Amino acid sequence: MTITSYAQLQQYLTQILTSNISTKTGNTEQADSQNRAPHGAFWSTLAYNDFVNGNVPNVGVPILIKSNSAGSNLILALRGQAPFDGSTFPRMPADGPPFLTDAQIAPIAAWIDAGCPE
């Protein structure tokens, strides 16, 4: 899958989290994200500029770095890499498993590496 716009990214994230069922709660990851995560399903409510240039709501860290998925907090959080390895923040989604697979993360990383096309 290739993500070519922010709208597609929003749909993709929502689709994945709606289809994943948490082994901890039995709810969809989307429902848990909205109800349990401090930031909720922030990608569904933020405008494009706020998403690509702003911070994760109620967490205060930048969401991403355009053209640098490896250094973007969104990707680090989904992969469970520091500081989202439990040392400072939990891996996302916080109520996982299931967590996103590398194959599910790849289109998000590619969108970031492409400069976050609007």
Side-chain angles (χ1 to χ4, degrees):
M1 154 152 225
T2 302
I3 298 172
T4 60
S5 70
Y6 180 51
Q8 286 180 340
L9 177 74
Q10 290 172 303
Q11 292 168 354
Y12 182 71
L13 286 170
T14 299
Q15 176 187 359
I16 289 172
L17 295 179
T18 300
S19 63
N20 282 357
I21 304 298
S22 170
T23 58
K24 288 184 182 177
T25 67
N27 297 326
T28 67
E29 297 288 351
Q30 175 74 8
D32 283 341
S33 179
Q34 291 173 347
N35 297 322
R36 299 178 58 142
H39 51 67
F42 66 92
W43 62 88
S44 64
T45 59
L46 290 180
Y48 170 80
N49 285 330
D50 294 331
F51 187 84
V52 300
N53 298 310
N55 293 334
V56 177
N58 300 317
V59 178
V61 299
I63 297 168
L64 58 84
I65 302 167
K66 283 184 178 182
S67 302
N68 181 0
S69 66
S72 292
N73 285 320
L74 176 61
I75 300 301
L76 296 173
L78 294 174
R79 289 185 175 149
Q81 297 174 327
F84 299 93
D85 57 356
S87 61
T88 304
F89 302 106
R91 183 176 182 176
M92 294 288 110
D95 65 333
F99 297 108
L100 276 67
T101 65
D102 288 339
Q104 290 172 315
I105 297 168
I108 303 165
W111 177 79
I112 293 169
D113 288 336
C116 305
E118 189 172 356

